[in-house]
Structures are given as structure tokens and as C-alpha cells.
Amino acid sequence: DGGITQSPKYLFRKEGQNVTLSCEQNLNHDAMYWYRQDPGQGLRLIYYSQIVNDFQKGDIAEGYSVSREKKESFPLTVTSAQKNPTAFYLCASSIASGGKGYTFGSGTRLTVV
Amino acid sequence: DAKTTQPPSMDCAEGRAANLPCNHSTISGNEYVYWYRQIHSQGPQYIIHGLKNNETNEMASLIITEDRKSSTLILPHATLRDTAVYYCIVRVSYGGATNKLIFGTGTLLAVQP
């Protein structure tokens, strides 16, 4: 079955360490997105990518980095520059025109101690 | 970017229709209205979307006012499994290619037995 996979589901890191969250899709979607969600809040856009080797900053890109070397993969690195990294991270993908094809992964809950 | 306004919470009796309102008074003519829902600690799930006309699918109905400044999501027979946060979203389009979804804080629908 086609879908979008995020791993791991739970991640713990020490403060000051970089950490990379995985996002893989087999839907043949062109666009991919990373969102952050804090308790009781809506989703905020971190980065998005329309095509391979191209990506743009979202509303809260500071302290994060991404790459898009393959159509299927859009990993997110949370760097030590991110002041408050503990959050729920969601990856999504869509066809280029959007349509109803916004598919979300099940998320990664990152806790930095 | 067009913003949406939703009530923070609503209750509904099991088996009754749930009507979730959304205001989007600054929506542009080519912007779609999307509805997603999120069950706790999962990725958001697509429900329905529309531009001008009312829409219906197996999950819900979407009623958009003639001036497009507001809409209502209708779950015809709410069940306990419909308890979730419901997001009304206006799709922002950039050059017809990338389409970001901007999430607000949504409405927490609590279906009561």
C-alpha cells in the first residue's frame, strides 16, 4: 500500500546534539512538507520542497535543515541551534497541484533532555 | 494569506449531526477550503475540500456560503470515533505549483455517548 512513513515514532536526544528525522513516501508525490506541532497548538510549517534538489523555508525554519536528494525522501535535521526542539513533528506529501492528495505521516515525537 | 477562525471546542451527541463552522472572510477567489481532522498524537486525516460549490463524500458534507466568507463541515451521524480536532484550512497557492496548508488551532469536537 502507498503511504508516507516517519521514523522513529519516539526519539530522545541530549541537548546540543543534532538529530535527523526520517520521512519516506512511495506515493510518487512531487511535494513534501515538514510541520511542527506543540501541545494544544496547530501545525506550523518548517520547510517544504516542490521537486528534488529544491526546498524553501516555511514559517519557522530557524534551527532546522532539510535535503531532497530523492523524490521519495525528505529528511529533517533538528540542529543544536533550535532553541526549543521538543515537539511533535509531522511530514506530509502531495501532488504538485495539491488536490486532495495531502497525505500525512504518523509523526515523530522528539524529546530533548 | 487568508486566515480561518473556528470555535475552540464543541460537543455533539452520538448519532446526531455535528456542524462545525469556519470563518474565512479574507479568502481569495482561487483559494480552496480544506478540512482535516487529527486524532490525538496521529497525523491529520483529509476529510473534504471545495472551492465554491457544496461538496459531499463518504465522510462528510461541506457547505460554503455564496460569498465564500464562511463554511460548515457536517458529519451527518457523529460517532465516538469522530472525537478529534478539526482543522479548517485555506490553501495558499504560489504560482500554481506549491500549495502550502496553513493550520490554525482547530475545533476540538467531543462526541458524547
Side-chain angles (χ1 to χ4, degrees):
Chain A
D1 289 339
I4 185 165
T5 302
Q6 290 187 244
S7 61
K9 190 169 180 64
Y10 298 95
L11 192 55
F12 295 87
R13 279 294 182 270
K14 291 184 178 179
E15 191 172 349
Q17 290 181 334
N18 291 355
V19 59
T20 298
L21 282 59
S22 171
C23 178
E24 302 279 334
Q25 54 99 1
N26 60 2
L27 300 165
N28 200 33
H29 284 171
D30 297 300
M32 297 187 74
Y33 313 80
W34 274 105
Y35 287 89
R36 169 184 171 137
Q37 186 172 36
D38 294 286
Q41 305 284 322
L43 281 67
R44 293 184 290 169
L45 184 65
I46 305 172
Y47 268 98
Y48 60 101
S49 168
Q50 303 176 61
I51 57 173
V52 174
N53 293 322
D54 183 63
F55 47 84
Q56 288 80 40
K57 293 181 179 180
D59 300 320
I60 55 165
E62 185 176 353
Y64 299 97
S65 65
V66 294
S67 63
R68 188 85 188 274
E69 297 177 0
K70 299 186 301 181
K71 186 176 184 179
E72 302 79 17
S73 179
F74 192 40
L76 172 75
T77 297
V78 184
T79 75
S80 56
Q82 169 52 233
K83 298 302 180 187
N84 187 18
T86 294
F88 187 49
Y89 291 88
L90 285 158
C91 179
S93 68
S94 73
I95 58 176
S97 62
K100 69 174 184 180
Y102 287 88
T103 303
F104 281 85
S106 56
T108 293
R109 188 167 298 280
L110 173 65
T111 302
V112 176
V113 296
Chain B
D1 298 347
K3 297 290 191 284
T4 62
T5 304
Q6 299 177 254
S9 64
M10 294 182 62
D11 288 342
C12 178
E14 188 177 18
R16 303 296 294 270
N19 297 282
L20 290 86
C22 180
N23 288 319
H24 31 78
S25 58
T26 61
I27 192 170
S28 299
N30 61 348
E31 289 180 319
Y32 286 75
V33 179
Y34 278 74
W35 284 84
Y36 278 76
R37 73 179 183 184
Q38 185 179 26
I39 297 171
H40 182 62
S41 293
Q42 297 182 21
Q45 175 192 22
Y46 167 84
I47 301 173
I48 200 167
H49 76 287
L51 183 63
K52 295 180 182 178
N53 299 321
N54 298 337
E55 302 288 344
T56 296
N57 62 20
E58 63 278 5
M59 289 183 67
S61 295
L62 174 60
I63 308 299
I64 302 175
T65 58
E66 191 170 345
D67 62 8
R68 301 211 324 123
K69 293 184 177 182
S70 65
S71 61
T72 301
L73 178 74
I74 301 172
L75 307 179
H77 306 287
T79 70
L80 297 179
R81 285 178 293 182
D82 292 322
T83 293
V85 177
Y86 288 77
Y87 295 100
C88 169
I89 302 159
V90 170
R91 191 184 86 190
V92 178
S93 176
Y94 291 83
T98 300
N99 299 279
K100 298 192 303 182
L101 293 181
I102 300 176
F103 286 77
T105 52
T107 295
L108 173 59
L109 175 68
V111 180
Q112 309 290 343

